């Protein structure tokens, strides 16, 4: 069984499936969540080594997921995916990701 766990957070199963196949093919264990709430429930039971996250979720956004993942372990890399990106969004995400790391 793979040692490294990656969580995919996306509300569309047809988006999660190819990501899951790719990561499994690279030897990762893959966990899935379809919302911020389901991710938080999962993080209550599991730790993850990385996260691949859709920015738009039915009950929040990728920044909420980023906060939850980094709250568990600030060193976990989080990749945010979006079809509607902007420089402002990238800056917000970077600030949120590094604030916790540097404030310790």
């Amino acid at each position: 069984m793979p040692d490294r766990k990656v969580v995919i957070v996306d509300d569309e199963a047809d988006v999660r499936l190819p990501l899951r196949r790719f990561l499994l093919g690279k030897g990762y264990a893959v966990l899935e969540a379809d919302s911020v709430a389901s991710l938080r429930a999962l993080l209550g039971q599991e730790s993850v080594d990385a996260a691949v996250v859709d920015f738009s979720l039915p009950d929040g956004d990728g920044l909420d997921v980023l906060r939850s993942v980094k709250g568990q372990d600030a060193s976990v890399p989080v990749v945010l995916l979006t079809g509607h990106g902007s420089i402002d969004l990238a800056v917000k995400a970077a600030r949120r990701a590094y604030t916790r790391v540097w404030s310790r």
Side-chain angles (χ1 to χ4, degrees):
M1 184 165 147
D3 292 335
R4 308 291 274 169
K5 288 185 266 184
V6 178
V7 62
I8 301 167
V9 186
D10 197 302
D11 58 322
E12 296 181 41
D14 61 334
V15 173
R16 292 192 314 266
L17 181 62
L19 289 170
R20 177 182 188 74
R21 286 182 178 155
F22 174 79
L23 291 167
L24 287 171
K26 296 295 181 183
Y28 292 95
V30 178
L31 305 170
E32 295 183 38
D34 62 1
S35 65
V36 176
S38 64
L39 171 77
R40 288 181 178 150
L42 185 144
L43 291 177
Q45 300 172 13
E46 300 271 353
S47 62
V48 297
D49 298 296
V52 179
V53 181
D54 181 25
F55 185 77
S56 298
L57 296 164
D59 60 344
D61 63 33
L63 297 179
D64 296 324
V65 172
L66 179 65
R67 184 179 15 244
S68 295
V69 171
K70 294 290 186 177
Q72 185 183 54
D73 182 345
S75 68
V76 172
V78 177
V79 177
L80 290 175
L81 305 174
T82 181
H84 308 285
S86 68
I87 300 273
D88 183 51
L89 176 58
V91 169
K92 283 181 186 176
R95 283 187 180 146
R96 196 155 295 163
Y98 290 106
T99 299
R100 185 148 172 83
V101 174
W102 297 114
S103 65
R104 287 182 181 218

